[in-house]
Amino acid sequence: LPFLLILFISLASIYLLISPYDDALLKLLLCIKLLGLLLFYMLLQHAPSKNFLVKCFIGVMTVEAIWALAQLLLQHDLGLQLLGESILTNDTANVARFSLSKFEIIRGYGSFSHPNMLAGFLAVSMFFTLQSDLKNREKIVLSSGQFLGLIATFSRSALLALLAVSVFTSLGKKFITNKYIRTGLLIGCSLALVSFFLIRGGALLNDPAFMERIAGYTQAYNMILTYPLGVGFSHATLFFDSVATGVLQPWEYQPVHNIFILMVVE
């Protein structure tokens, strides 16, 4: 096993034991979660090749993209809860929506627990697709489908990340050698990002998503000061009430949107 994986599982297990939150059942479930991560890694080691894994990932994420696009068009889930799909209806509380004039549009989830998570995976999948040994026509079809799925999530942060990486990798023409695909990706990301930003009013300081991120950083900072040794693996949201300055809404119970800060918190 790689050193970093052993270190992560070891630290997570130790922090489960010393966590200020005392719930034996929760800790047992999180231990099972860690065991699942270990077994998943061992399963990947028996794959025929890395290229095989990449193509499996591309295929799965293309299906997820189509799934999310269908949810956006239908404005409800596809009834596939057995496969992990969230219940998405206009009456369902805390469903992620995108404001467009007077309308509230349900964003595409796929089988993920939040559109932003799906968007991150789709952005990575697009680069895997464009760097793969597939034919150019196949790359264009698959990456276009994934990009439409990314649009269905309305995730500006994922689009911004994809645009930034596209710019840097395009400078050396190392990862995306086809100039037409490279140009199309840059233009597509730029137009979508600008459109989403303008639709939300263009005023960043009045944007609810931006203000939620700032609030998350504030809560994380307060937790680090209150619990300098950490709160425990996957325990961050359980301690929000102890550091919040007011009553939190249900959708505000979410980890800080920065993996490095979250590691320090936990």
Side-chain angles (χ1 to χ4, degrees), residues 2-262:
F3 171 73
L4 287 178
L5 180 60
I6 296 175
L7 178 63
F8 169 74
I9 292 179
S10 300
L11 287 176
S13 301
I14 292 172
Y15 271 82
L16 281 177
L17 294 175
I18 67 174
S19 170
Y21 193 82
D22 188 18
D23 188 325
L25 179 59
L26 175 62
K27 292 181 178 181
L28 174 61
L29 293 175
L30 290 175
C31 285
I32 295 174
K33 184 178 180 180
L34 288 172
L35 178 61
L37 175 64
L38 182 61
L39 293 176
F40 181 63
Y41 172 81
M42 296 175 66
L43 176 65
L44 293 182
Q45 294 303 106
H46 289 83
S49 66
K50 289 184 178 180
N51 189 46
F52 172 79
L53 290 176
V54 167
K55 289 184 177 179
C56 285
F57 181 70
I58 291 172
V60 169
M61 293 314 303
T62 302
V63 172
E64 289 282 355
I66 297 172
W67 194 340
L69 190 59
Q71 291 169 338
L72 173 66
L73 295 175
L74 297 174
Q75 283 298 282
H76 60 73
D77 59 77
L78 305 187
L80 301 175
Q81 278 68 46
L82 287 176
L83 298 180
E85 184 183 32
S86 300
I87 297 176
L88 308 175
T89 65
N90 290 324
D91 299 328
T92 306
N94 306 329
V95 170
R97 295 177 171 86
F98 187 85
S99 300
L100 180 60
S101 185
K102 298 180 180 180
F103 301 98
E104 294 289 331
I105 301 173
I106 295 177
R107 299 162 61 186
Y109 277 66
S111 65
F112 284 70
S113 57
H114 195 277
N116 288 342
M117 294 177 64
L118 171 59
F121 275 83
L122 285 173
V124 173
S125 179
M126 284 185 65
F127 267 95
F128 279 180
T129 302
L130 297 173
Q131 296 174 42
S132 68
D133 58 1
L134 296 169
K135 296 179 180 179
N136 279 338
R137 182 176 297 179
E138 295 173 333
K139 289 182 179 181
I140 293 173
V141 172
L142 291 173
S143 60
S144 297
Q146 293 165 17
F147 187 71
L148 288 175
L150 179 57
I151 296 297
T153 67
F154 289 92
S155 176
R156 291 169 294 174
S157 55
L159 280 169
L160 180 60
L162 185 60
L163 177 61
V165 177
S166 299
V167 170
F168 283 112
T169 55
S170 295
L171 292 177
K173 301 180 181 180
K174 180 179 179 182
F175 294 103
I176 308 174
T177 56
N178 188 297
K179 65 178 181 180
Y180 297 108
I181 295 178
R182 188 168 64 245
T183 303
L185 180 61
L186 291 172
I187 294 175
C189 287
S190 300
L191 290 177
L193 188 61
V194 171
S195 299
F196 287 168
F197 186 72
L198 292 177
I199 288 172
R200 291 296 284 265
L204 190 61
L205 295 179
N206 294 327
D207 189 286
F210 179 76
M211 300 308 297
E212 286 177 7
R213 301 295 190 276
I214 298 300
Y217 291 137
T218 303
Q219 291 169 340
Y221 175 73
N222 292 335
M223 275 198 286
I224 292 171
L225 292 181
T226 308
Y227 306 99
L229 293 180
V231 297
F233 171 63
S234 288
H235 278 49
T237 54
L238 299 174
F239 288 83
F240 278 180
D241 287 325
S242 64
V243 298
T245 56
V247 178
L248 297 176
Q249 298 298 322
W251 57 84
E252 293 180 302
Y253 289 89
Q254 52 182 309
V256 58
H257 286 45
N258 184 298
I259 190 64
F260 305 106
I261 297 177
L262 181 61

